[in-house]
Amino acid sequence: MPLVHVSWALADNAARPACDAFFREVFGARTAHEILITPETEKLGLDREESLLMIGDTMVIPIAPAGCGAQEGNALGDMLRRSAAPNRWIGIALKVGDLTVADAWFGQRGFKRHYDPGMEAFYFLVPRGQAMGLRLEIVKQDMPGDPRRDSAWRPDCEDPLGIEGLQAIGISAPSLAEARELFHGKLDWPELGTRALPEADCAAFAMADTVLEALEGREQGDAVAVHAREVKGIFHLVFKVRDADRAAQYLRGRGLPLIGQVADRFAIAPEAAQGRLIWLTEATPQGYPVPGSRLHRTTVPG
């Protein structure tokens, strides 16, 4: 059940070009595909615009309402406008070989599933309220333009940051005990271990072909604890880089403010990074797969 993409929302399509440009220029993102409003797609009722951006081995998708989605009352457009807030993400997509088998697998574990009309053969959603604010999109089809469809494809690592691949996706949790009950108990994702991060206590789980970091704040006023109460879902991404000092020097050279420790992991301050917390690190925690040799674990039959 490999990771297909990570997505987040923009409230206004006018902000999307600058958002896309930031990730292309700073993270070296490459455009795999664009979904745009044209006279033809507008007639078909297209309600959003999005660029499918590859950062290393990972597809990230900022999505903005457009076309009929720009109108109040459009279901997708309203969802995007509700979801467009700093450090709030929509969720992730995971790929399966058999959607019917996957539906039964999730159903047996007590998860509600949602099918968008007309898309029943392609994907279903596990709403974010079912998984601590992490919306799961379970898909059968490949994304258009996805270079990973070629088994020989590898990211070229020639981006300005020297990104080798995605190391982890972090999610805020009310407690690590609840995270274990959900991610290990219900979803059967093996636990990789625990560690103390500067901002939170962390339990890591093998999620598909990457790692999910469940984060528990230590005080009620901690950023992670506030996120778990008020925002929910994805809190951060972590990318591994070849040379942390070089990456940090590059970012400082662009005048971007950094947080964290270069020797451990560091990030562009979210307010200067389109409202997203994206850590960079040269280190691989014990038990984590090494990006670039992603482990493909199948936890849903088919």
Side-chain angles (χ1 to χ4, degrees):
M1 193 166 60
L3 177 71
V4 179
H5 63 70
V6 184
S7 62
W8 69 91
L10 302 172
D12 189 337
N13 195 37
R16 192 179 60 82
C19 176
D20 291 356
F22 172 83
F23 285 98
R24 291 187 184 110
E25 295 168 8
V26 177
F27 282 81
R30 300 196 175 192
T31 303
H33 185 73
E34 286 188 304
I35 297 174
L36 303 175
I37 297 291
T38 65
E40 291 75 20
T41 59
E42 191 165 20
K43 288 178 183 177
L44 294 173
L46 187 64
D47 48 13
R48 82 245 182 235
E49 287 197 343
E50 58 190 69
S51 296
L52 282 54
L53 302 173
M54 295 300 301
I55 298 179
D57 59 356
T58 303
M59 182 177 285
V60 298
I61 310 179
I63 308 172
C68 61
Q71 302 169 13
E72 296 290 336
N74 175 272
L76 182 95
D78 288 348
M79 182 278 288
L80 292 173
R81 284 181 283 273
R82 287 194 307 270
S83 301
N87 215 24
R88 178 169 177 172
W89 310 64
I90 296 174
I92 63 173
L94 302 172
K95 188 178 180 185
V96 295
D98 189 316
L99 208 59
T100 301
V101 172
D103 178 278
W105 191 92
F106 277 94
Q108 289 166 2
R109 286 155 178 77
F111 290 98
K112 297 177 182 177
R113 286 88 64 216
H114 170 78
Y115 286 85
D116 287 332
M119 296 290 107
E120 293 85 354
F122 301 103
Y123 67 85
F124 65 83
L125 304 173
V126 177
R128 66 193 309 264
Q130 301 280 298
M132 291 186 182
L134 178 67
R135 190 183 82 160
L136 301 175
E137 183 178 348
I138 308 303
V139 306
K140 181 180 179 181
Q141 80 281 9
D142 290 315
M143 299 299 291
D146 191 339
R148 298 168 298 183
R149 290 179 294 182
D150 181 353
S151 61
W153 177 85
R154 296 292 183 274
D156 58 23
C157 298
E158 294 302 320
D159 63 88
L161 296 174
I163 292 173
E164 294 183 343
L166 182 70
Q167 184 178 95
I169 297 172
I171 182 173
S172 63
S175 72
L176 296 189
E178 292 178 66
R180 288 189 182 94
E181 181 180 355
L182 171 63
F183 298 118
H184 180 63
K186 290 184 68 175
L187 286 168
D188 292 344
W189 295 347
E191 185 171 351
L192 301 176
T194 59
R195 60 187 178 128
L197 299 173
E199 69 275 20
D201 293 323
C202 171
F205 302 88
M207 178 187 70
D209 55 350
T210 189
V211 173
L212 181 87
E213 294 181 334
L215 309 170
E216 179 184 359
R218 300 186 183 97
E219 302 289 342
Q220 289 296 306
D222 289 351
V224 171
V226 171
H227 191 277
R229 288 195 308 273
E230 301 179 4
V231 182
K232 305 184 189 303
I234 296 174
F235 186 76
H236 67 226
L237 303 185
V238 187
F239 284 98
K240 186 174 184 304
V241 297
R242 287 195 307 272
D243 187 324
D245 287 328
R246 183 174 179 178
Q249 183 178 1
Y250 165 78
L251 293 172
R252 291 189 182 112
R254 293 186 64 99
L256 293 166
L258 303 185
I259 61 174
Q261 300 295 322
V262 174
D264 181 18
R265 61 184 186 179
F266 64 99
I268 303 168
E271 59 270 21
Q274 302 295 312
R276 312 292 144 200
L277 178 56
I278 301 177
W279 297 106
L280 303 171
T281 184
E282 190 178 327
T284 300
Q286 185 175 1
Y288 282 34
V290 177
S293 61
R294 302 272 290 278
L295 301 181
H296 289 261
R297 303 177 177 89
T298 300
T299 57
V300 172

